[in-house]
Amino acid sequence: MSRLADTTETRQLTTGADVLTRARQVLDDPVSPNAEVRYTAIRLTECLADALRVAESRGMRLPEPDTDPPERDSSPRS
């Protein structure tokens, strides 16, 4: 199950990177049609939702941080 989740996450992030590359091209072109800009915004929104889902999922798999302060060395220094 974990491998399937990793594969899905990798695919989502790769798609997001591809969409971002295309979005930059569309947005850099001052004569891009409104429909293309709108479609790009929709795709970017979908990819952002996927990226946030991946981040949240990976965050749930991280161990809880150690909240105890580090122990200080109490030995005398020479």
Side-chain angles (χ1 to χ4, degrees):
M1 189 65 148
S2 178
R3 242 182 308 195
L4 175 62
D6 289 343
T7 301
T8 300
E9 290 173 357
T10 299
R11 186 173 12 92
Q12 289 172 325
L13 294 175
T14 300
T15 299
D18 293 342
V19 169
L20 180 59
T21 298
R22 178 67 182 131
R24 285 184 172 139
Q25 294 169 353
V26 169
L27 297 174
D28 284 344
D29 183 355
V31 295
S32 291
N34 286 343
E36 193 169 354
V37 173
R38 179 171 160 62
Y39 177 75
T40 299
I42 291 168
R43 292 293 310 193
L44 285 169
T45 302
E46 292 168 352
C47 292
L48 177 58
D50 286 343
L52 291 172
R53 196 173 305 115
V54 168
E56 183 178 332
S57 171
R58 289 183 180 183
M60 284 188 241
R61 291 187 260 164
L62 294 175
E64 289 294 319
D66 185 15
T67 57
D68 294 333
E71 301 230 358
R72 298 187 86 184
D73 185 10
S74 59
S75 61
R77 298 195 177 189
S78 315

Coordinates of all heavy atoms in Angstrom, one line a residue:
M1 N 0.8 -1.2 0.0 CA 0.0 0.0 0.0 C 0.9 1.3 0.0 O 0.6 2.2 -0.7 CB -0.9 0.0 1.2 CG -2.0 1.0 1.2 SD -3.1 0.8 -0.2 CE -4.5 1.4 0.5
S2 N 2.0 1.2 0.8 CA 2.9 2.4 0.9 C 3.5 2.6 -0.5 O 3.7 3.8 -0.9 CB 3.9 2.1 1.9 OG 4.8 3.2 2.0
R3 N 3.9 1.6 -1.2 CA 4.5 1.8 -2.5 C 3.5 2.4 -3.5 O 3.9 3.3 -4.3 CB 5.0 0.4 -3.1 CG 6.4 0.4 -3.3 CD 6.9 -0.9 -3.9 NE 6.4 -2.0 -3.1 CZ 6.8 -3.2 -3.1 NH1 7.7 -3.5 -4.0 NH2 6.3 -4.1 -2.4
L4 N 2.2 2.0 -3.4 CA 1.2 2.6 -4.3 C 1.1 4.1 -4.0 O 1.0 4.9 -4.9 CB -0.1 1.9 -4.1 CG -1.3 2.4 -4.9 CD1 -1.1 2.4 -6.4 CD2 -2.6 1.7 -4.5
A5 N 1.1 4.4 -2.7 CA 0.9 5.8 -2.3 C 2.2 6.6 -2.8 O 2.0 7.7 -3.3 CB 0.8 5.9 -0.8
D6 N 3.3 6.0 -2.7 CA 4.5 6.7 -3.1 C 4.5 7.0 -4.7 O 4.9 8.0 -5.1 CB 5.8 5.9 -2.8 CG 6.1 6.0 -1.3 OD1 5.5 6.8 -0.6 OD2 6.9 5.1 -0.8
T7 N 4.0 5.9 -5.4 CA 3.9 6.1 -6.9 C 2.9 7.1 -7.2 O 3.2 7.9 -8.1 CB 3.5 4.7 -7.5 OG1 4.5 3.7 -7.1 CG2 3.4 4.8 -9.0
T8 N 1.8 7.1 -6.6 CA 0.8 8.1 -6.8 C 1.3 9.5 -6.5 O 1.1 10.5 -7.3 CB -0.5 7.8 -6.0 OG1 -1.0 6.5 -6.3 CG2 -1.6 8.9 -6.2
E9 N 2.0 9.7 -5.4 CA 2.5 11.0 -5.0 C 3.5 11.5 -6.0 O 3.5 12.6 -6.4 CB 3.1 10.9 -3.6 CG 2.1 10.8 -2.5 CD 2.8 10.5 -1.2 OE1 4.0 10.4 -1.1 OE2 2.1 10.5 -0.2
T10 N 4.4 10.6 -6.5 CA 5.4 10.9 -7.5 C 4.7 11.4 -8.8 O 5.1 12.4 -9.3 CB 6.3 9.7 -7.7 OG1 7.0 9.4 -6.5 CG2 7.4 10.1 -8.8
R11 N 3.7 10.7 -9.2 CA 3.0 11.0 -10.4 C 2.3 12.4 -10.2 O 2.4 13.2 -11.2 CB 2.0 10.0 -10.7 CG 1.3 10.2 -12.1 CD 0.3 9.1 -12.5 NE 0.0 8.1 -11.6 CZ -1.1 8.1 -10.8 NH1 -1.9 9.1 -10.8 NH2 -1.3 7.1 -9.9
Q12 N 1.7 12.7 -9.1 CA 1.1 13.9 -8.9 C 2.1 15.1 -8.9 O 1.8 16.1 -9.5 CB 0.3 13.9 -7.5 CG -0.9 13.0 -7.6 CD -1.5 12.9 -6.2 OE1 -0.8 12.8 -5.2 NE2 -2.8 12.8 -6.1
L13 N 3.2 14.9 -8.2 CA 4.2 16.0 -8.2 C 4.9 16.2 -9.6 O 5.1 17.3 -9.9 CB 5.3 15.6 -7.1 CG 4.7 15.7 -5.7 CD1 5.8 15.2 -4.7 CD2 4.2 17.0 -5.3
T14 N 5.0 15.1 -10.3 CA 5.6 15.3 -11.7 C 4.6 16.0 -12.6 O 5.0 16.9 -13.3 CB 5.9 13.9 -12.3 OG1 6.9 13.2 -11.4 CG2 6.4 14.0 -13.7
T15 N 3.3 15.7 -12.5 CA 2.3 16.4 -13.2 C 2.3 17.8 -12.8 O 2.2 18.7 -13.7 CB 0.9 15.7 -13.0 OG1 1.0 14.4 -13.5 CG2 -0.2 16.5 -13.7
G16 N 2.4 18.1 -11.6 CA 2.4 19.5 -11.1 C 3.6 20.3 -11.7 O 3.4 21.4 -12.1
A17 N 4.7 19.7 -11.7 CA 5.9 20.4 -12.3 C 5.7 20.6 -13.8 O 6.0 21.7 -14.3 CB 7.2 19.5 -12.1
D18 N 5.1 19.7 -14.5 CA 4.8 19.9 -15.9 C 3.8 21.0 -16.2 O 4.0 21.8 -17.0 CB 4.3 18.6 -16.6 CG 5.3 17.5 -16.6 OD1 6.5 17.8 -16.5 OD2 4.9 16.3 -16.8
V19 N 2.7 21.0 -15.3 CA 1.7 22.0 -15.5 C 2.3 23.4 -15.2 O 2.0 24.4 -15.8 CB 0.5 21.7 -14.6 CG1 -0.4 22.9 -14.5 CG2 -0.2 20.5 -15.1
L20 N 3.2 23.5 -14.2 CA 3.8 24.7 -13.8 C 4.7 25.3 -15.0 O 4.6 26.5 -15.3 CB 4.7 24.5 -12.6 CG 5.4 25.8 -12.1 CD1 4.5 26.9 -11.7 CD2 6.3 25.4 -10.8
T21 N 5.4 24.4 -15.6 CA 6.2 24.8 -16.8 C 5.3 25.4 -17.9 O 5.6 26.4 -18.4 CB 7.0 23.6 -17.3 OG1 7.9 23.1 -16.3 CG2 7.8 24.0 -18.6
R22 N 4.2 24.7 -18.2 CA 3.3 25.2 -19.2 C 2.6 26.4 -18.7 O 2.4 27.4 -19.5 CB 2.3 24.1 -19.5 CG 1.2 24.5 -20.5 CD 1.9 24.7 -21.9 NE 0.8 25.1 -22.8 CZ 1.0 26.1 -23.6 NH1 2.1 26.8 -23.7 NH2 0.0 26.5 -24.4
A23 N 2.3 26.5 -17.5 CA 1.6 27.8 -17.0 C 2.5 29.0 -17.1 O 2.0 30.1 -17.5 CB 1.2 27.6 -15.5
R24 N 3.8 28.8 -16.9 CA 4.7 29.9 -17.0 C 4.7 30.4 -18.5 O 4.8 31.6 -18.7 CB 6.1 29.5 -16.5 CG 6.2 29.4 -15.0 CD 7.6 29.1 -14.6 NE 7.7 29.2 -13.1 CZ 8.4 28.4 -12.4 NH1 9.1 27.4 -12.9 NH2 8.4 28.6 -11.1
Q25 N 4.7 29.5 -19.4 CA 4.7 29.8 -20.8 C 3.4 30.6 -21.1 O 3.5 31.6 -21.8 CB 4.8 28.6 -21.7 CG 6.1 27.8 -21.6 CD 6.0 26.5 -22.2 OE1 5.0 26.0 -22.7 NE2 7.2 25.8 -22.3
V26 N 2.3 30.1 -20.7 CA 1.0 30.8 -21.0 C 1.0 32.2 -20.3 O 0.6 33.2 -21.0 CB -0.2 30.0 -20.4 CG1 -1.5 30.8 -20.5 CG2 -0.3 28.7 -21.2
L27 N 1.4 32.3 -19.1 CA 1.4 33.6 -18.4 C 2.4 34.6 -18.9 O 2.3 35.8 -18.7 CB 1.5 33.4 -16.9 CG 0.3 32.5 -16.3 CD1 0.6 32.2 -14.8 CD2 -1.0 33.2 -16.5
D28 N 3.5 34.1 -19.4 CA 4.6 35.0 -20.0 C 4.1 35.6 -21.3 O 4.7 36.6 -21.8 CB 5.9 34.2 -20.2 CG 6.6 34.0 -18.9 OD1 6.3 34.7 -17.9 OD2 7.6 33.1 -18.8
D29 N 3.2 34.9 -22.0 CA 2.7 35.4 -23.3 C 1.6 36.4 -23.1 O 0.5 36.0 -22.6 CB 2.2 34.2 -24.1 CG 1.8 34.6 -25.5 OD1 1.7 35.9 -25.8 OD2 1.4 33.7 -26.3
P30 N 1.8 37.7 -23.3 CA 0.8 38.7 -23.0 C -0.5 38.6 -23.9 O -1.5 39.2 -23.6 CB 1.5 40.0 -23.3 CG 2.6 39.7 -24.1 CD 3.0 38.3 -23.9
V31 N -0.4 37.8 -25.0 CA -1.6 37.6 -25.8 C -2.3 36.3 -25.7 O -3.1 35.8 -26.5 CB -1.3 37.9 -27.3 CG1 -0.9 39.3 -27.5 CG2 -0.2 36.9 -27.8
S32 N -1.9 35.6 -24.6 CA -2.6 34.3 -24.3 C -4.1 34.5 -24.2 O -4.5 35.4 -23.5 CB -2.1 33.6 -23.0 OG -0.8 33.2 -23.1
P33 N -4.9 33.7 -24.9 CA -6.4 33.9 -24.8 C -6.9 33.6 -23.3 O -6.3 32.9 -22.6 CB -6.9 32.8 -25.7 CG -5.8 32.3 -26.5 CD -4.5 32.6 -25.7
N34 N -7.9 34.4 -23.0 CA -8.5 34.2 -21.6 C -8.9 32.8 -21.3 O -8.7 32.4 -20.1 CB -9.7 35.1 -21.5 CG -9.4 36.6 -21.4 OD1 -8.2 36.9 -21.1 ND2 -10.3 37.5 -21.6
A35 N -9.4 32.1 -22.3 CA -9.8 30.7 -22.0 C -8.6 29.8 -21.6 O -8.6 29.0 -20.7 CB -10.5 30.1 -23.2
E36 N -7.4 30.1 -22.3 CA -6.2 29.3 -22.0 C -5.7 29.7 -20.6 O -5.2 28.8 -19.8 CB -5.2 29.6 -23.0 CG -4.0 28.6 -23.0 CD -3.1 28.7 -24.2 OE1 -3.4 29.4 -25.1 OE2 -2.1 28.0 -24.1
V37 N -5.8 31.0 -20.2 CA -5.3 31.4 -18.9 C -6.2 30.8 -17.8 O -5.7 30.3 -16.8 CB -5.3 32.9 -18.8 CG1 -5.0 33.4 -17.4 CG2 -4.3 33.5 -19.8
R38 N -7.5 30.8 -18.1 CA -8.5 30.2 -17.1 C -8.2 28.7 -17.0 O -8.2 28.2 -15.9 CB -9.9 30.4 -17.6 CG -10.9 29.9 -16.7 CD -12.4 30.3 -17.1 NE -13.4 29.5 -16.6 CZ -13.7 29.3 -15.3 NH1 -13.0 29.8 -14.4 NH2 -14.7 28.5 -15.0
Y39 N -8.0 28.0 -18.1 CA -7.7 26.6 -18.0 C -6.5 26.3 -17.2 O -6.4 25.4 -16.4 CB -7.6 26.0 -19.4 CG -7.2 24.5 -19.5 CD1 -8.2 23.5 -19.1 CD2 -5.9 24.1 -19.8 CE1 -7.8 22.2 -19.1 CE2 -5.6 22.8 -19.7 CZ -6.5 21.8 -19.4 OH -6.2 20.5 -19.4
T40 N -5.5 27.1 -17.5 CA -4.2 27.0 -16.8 C -4.4 27.2 -15.3 O -3.8 26.5 -14.4 CB -3.2 28.1 -17.3 OG1 -3.0 27.8 -18.7 CG2 -1.9 28.0 -16.5
A41 N -5.2 28.2 -14.9 CA -5.5 28.4 -13.5 C -6.2 27.2 -12.8 O -5.9 26.9 -11.7 CB -6.3 29.7 -13.3
I42 N -7.1 26.6 -13.6 CA -7.8 25.5 -13.1 C -6.8 24.3 -12.8 O -6.9 23.7 -11.8 CB -9.0 25.1 -14.0 CG1 -10.1 26.1 -14.0 CG2 -9.5 23.7 -13.7 CD1 -11.1 26.0 -15.1
R43 N -6.0 24.1 -13.8 CA -5.0 23.0 -13.7 C -4.0 23.3 -12.5 O -3.7 22.4 -11.8 CB -4.2 22.8 -15.0 CG -5.0 22.3 -16.2 CD -5.5 20.9 -15.9 NE -4.2 20.2 -15.6 CZ -4.1 18.9 -15.5 NH1 -5.0 18.1 -15.7 NH2 -2.9 18.4 -15.1
L44 N -3.6 24.5 -12.4 CA -2.7 24.9 -11.3 C -3.3 24.6 -9.9 O -2.7 24.1 -9.0 CB -2.2 26.3 -11.4 CG -1.1 26.6 -12.5 CD1 -1.0 28.1 -12.7 CD2 0.2 25.9 -12.1
T45 N -4.6 25.0 -9.9 CA -5.4 24.7 -8.6 C -5.5 23.2 -8.3 O -5.3 22.8 -7.1 CB -6.8 25.3 -8.8 OG1 -6.7 26.7 -9.0 CG2 -7.6 25.2 -7.5
E46 N -5.7 22.4 -9.3 CA -5.8 21.0 -9.1 C -4.4 20.5 -8.6 O -4.3 19.7 -7.7 CB -6.1 20.3 -10.4 CG -7.5 20.5 -10.9 CD -7.8 20.0 -12.3 OE1 -6.8 19.7 -13.0 OE2 -8.9 20.1 -12.7
C47 N -3.3 20.9 -9.2 CA -2.0 20.5 -8.9 C -1.6 20.9 -7.5 O -0.9 20.2 -6.7 CB -1.0 21.0 -9.9 SG -1.2 20.1 -11.5
L48 N -2.0 22.2 -7.1 CA -1.7 22.7 -5.8 C -2.5 21.8 -4.7 O -1.9 21.4 -3.7 CB -2.1 24.1 -5.6 CG -2.0 24.7 -4.2 CD1 -0.5 24.6 -3.8 CD2 -2.4 26.2 -4.2
A49 N -3.7 21.4 -5.0 CA -4.5 20.6 -4.1 C -3.7 19.2 -3.9 O -3.6 18.7 -2.8 CB -5.9 20.4 -4.6
D50 N -3.2 18.7 -5.1 CA -2.5 17.4 -5.0 C -1.2 17.6 -4.2 O -0.9 16.7 -3.3 CB -2.1 16.9 -6.4 CG -3.3 16.4 -7.1 OD1 -4.4 16.1 -6.5 OD2 -3.2 16.2 -8.4
A51 N -0.5 18.6 -4.4 CA 0.8 18.9 -3.7 C 0.5 19.0 -2.2 O 1.3 18.5 -1.3 CB 1.5 20.1 -4.2
L52 N -0.6 19.7 -1.8 CA -0.9 19.9 -0.4 C -1.3 18.5 0.2 O -1.0 18.3 1.4 CB -2.0 20.9 -0.2 CG -1.6 22.4 -0.5 CD1 -2.8 23.3 -0.5 CD2 -0.6 22.8 0.4
R53 N -2.0 17.7 -0.6 CA -2.4 16.4 -0.1 C -1.2 15.5 0.1 O -1.1 14.8 1.2 CB -3.3 15.7 -1.1 CG -4.1 14.6 -0.6 CD -5.1 14.0 -1.6 NE -6.1 15.1 -2.0 CZ -6.2 15.5 -3.3 NH1 -5.4 15.0 -4.2 NH2 -7.0 16.5 -3.6
V54 N -0.2 15.6 -0.8 CA 1.0 14.9 -0.6 C 1.8 15.3 0.6 O 2.3 14.5 1.4 CB 1.9 15.0 -1.9 CG1 3.3 14.5 -1.6 CG2 1.3 14.3 -3.1
A55 N 1.9 16.6 0.8 CA 2.6 17.2 2.0 C 1.9 16.8 3.3 O 2.6 16.4 4.2 CB 2.7 18.7 1.9
E56 N 0.6 16.8 3.3 CA -0.1 16.4 4.5 C 0.1 14.9 4.8 O 0.4 14.5 5.9 CB -1.6 16.7 4.3 CG -2.4 16.4 5.6 CD -3.9 16.7 5.4 OE1 -4.2 17.7 4.6 OE2 -4.7 16.1 6.0
S57 N 0.0 14.1 3.7 CA 0.2 12.7 3.8 C 1.6 12.3 4.4 O 1.8 11.5 5.3 CB 0.0 12.0 2.5 OG 0.3 10.6 2.5
R58 N 2.6 13.0 3.8 CA 4.0 12.7 4.2 C 4.2 13.2 5.6 O 4.9 12.6 6.4 CB 5.0 13.4 3.3 CG 5.0 12.6 1.9 CD 6.0 13.2 1.0 NE 6.0 12.5 -0.2 CZ 6.9 12.7 -1.2 NH1 7.8 13.7 -1.1 NH2 6.8 12.0 -2.3
G59 N 3.5 14.3 6.0 CA 3.7 14.9 7.3 C 3.1 13.9 8.4 O 3.6 13.8 9.5
M60 N 2.1 13.2 8.0 CA 1.5 12.2 8.9 C 2.4 11.0 9.1 O 2.3 10.3 10.1 CB 0.1 11.7 8.4 CG -1.0 12.6 8.5 SD -2.5 11.9 8.1 CE -3.0 12.9 6.7
R61 N 3.3 10.8 8.2 CA 4.3 9.6 8.3 C 5.5 10.0 9.0 O 6.3 9.1 9.3 CB 4.6 9.1 6.9 CG 3.5 8.4 6.2 CD 3.9 7.8 5.0 NE 3.5 8.7 3.9 CZ 4.0 8.6 2.6 NH1 4.9 7.7 2.4 NH2 3.6 9.4 1.7
L62 N 5.7 11.3 9.3 CA 6.9 11.7 10.1 C 6.8 11.4 11.5 O 5.7 11.5 12.1 CB 7.2 13.2 9.9 CG 7.5 13.7 8.5 CD1 7.6 15.2 8.5 CD2 8.8 13.1 8.0
P63 N 7.9 11.0 12.2 CA 7.8 10.8 13.6 C 7.5 12.1 14.4 O 7.9 13.2 13.8 CB 9.2 10.2 14.0 CG 10.1 10.7 12.9 CD 9.2 10.9 11.7
E64 N 6.9 12.0 15.5 CA 6.7 13.2 16.3 C 8.0 13.8 16.7 O 9.0 13.1 17.1 CB 5.9 12.9 17.6 CG 4.5 12.5 17.3 CD 3.7 13.7 16.8 OE1 3.9 14.8 17.3 OE2 2.9 13.5 15.9
P65 N 8.1 15.2 16.7 CA 9.4 15.8 17.0 C 9.7 15.6 18.5 O 8.7 15.6 19.3 CB 9.2 17.2 16.7 CG 7.8 17.4 16.6 CD 7.2 16.1 16.2
D66 N 10.9 15.5 18.9 CA 11.3 15.4 20.3 C 11.2 16.8 20.9 O 11.9 17.7 20.5 CB 12.8 14.9 20.4 CG 13.2 14.7 21.8 OD1 12.3 14.6 22.7 OD2 14.4 14.5 22.0
T67 N 10.3 17.0 21.8 CA 10.1 18.3 22.4 C 10.9 18.6 23.7 O 10.9 19.7 24.2 CB 8.6 18.5 22.7 OG1 8.2 17.5 23.6 CG2 7.8 18.5 21.5
D68 N 11.6 17.5 24.1 CA 12.5 17.7 25.3 C 13.7 18.5 24.9 O 14.3 18.3 23.9 CB 12.9 16.4 25.9 CG 11.7 15.6 26.4 OD1 10.7 16.2 26.8 OD2 11.8 14.4 26.5
P69 N 14.1 19.5 25.8 CA 15.3 20.2 25.4 C 16.5 19.3 25.5 O 16.5 18.3 26.2 CB 15.4 21.3 26.5 CG 14.5 20.8 27.6 CD 13.5 19.9 27.0
P70 N 17.5 19.6 24.7 CA 18.7 18.7 24.7 C 19.4 18.7 26.1 O 19.4 19.8 26.8 CB 19.6 19.3 23.6 CG 19.1 20.6 23.3 CD 17.7 20.7 23.8
E71 N 19.9 17.6 26.5 CA 20.6 17.5 27.8 C 21.9 18.3 27.7 O 22.6 18.3 26.7 CB 20.9 16.1 28.1 CG 19.6 15.3 28.2 CD 19.5 14.5 29.4 OE1 20.5 14.5 30.2 OE2 18.5 13.8 29.6
R72 N 22.2 19.0 28.8 CA 23.4 19.8 28.8 C 24.5 19.0 29.5 O 24.2 18.3 30.5 CB 23.2 21.1 29.6 CG 22.2 22.0 28.9 CD 22.1 23.3 29.6 NE 23.1 24.1 29.0 CZ 23.4 25.3 29.4 NH1 22.8 25.8 30.4 NH2 24.3 26.0 28.8
D73 N 25.7 19.1 29.1 CA 26.8 18.4 29.7 C 27.1 19.2 31.0 O 27.5 20.3 31.0 CB 28.0 18.4 28.7 CG 29.2 17.6 29.2 OD1 29.0 16.9 30.3 OD2 30.2 17.7 28.6
S74 N 27.0 18.5 32.1 CA 27.2 19.1 33.4 C 28.7 18.9 33.9 O 29.0 19.3 35.0 CB 26.2 18.6 34.4 OG 26.3 17.2 34.6
S75 N 29.5 18.2 33.1 CA 30.8 18.0 33.6 C 31.6 19.3 33.5 O 31.4 20.1 32.7 CB 31.5 16.9 32.7 OG 31.6 17.3 31.4
P76 N 32.5 19.5 34.5 CA 33.3 20.7 34.5 C 34.3 20.8 33.4 O 34.8 19.7 32.9 CB 34.1 20.7 35.9 CG 34.0 19.3 36.3 CD 32.8 18.6 35.6
R77 N 34.5 21.9 32.8 CA 35.4 22.1 31.7 C 36.8 22.5 32.2 O 36.9 23.2 33.2 CB 34.9 23.2 30.8 CG 33.6 22.8 30.2 CD 33.2 23.6 29.1 NE 31.9 23.1 28.6 CZ 31.4 23.5 27.5 NH1 31.9 24.4 26.8 NH2 30.2 23.0 27.2
S78 N 37.8 21.9 31.6 CA 39.2 22.2 32.0 C 39.8 23.3 31.2 O 39.6 23.6 30.1 CB 40.1 21.0 31.8 OG 39.5 19.8 32.2

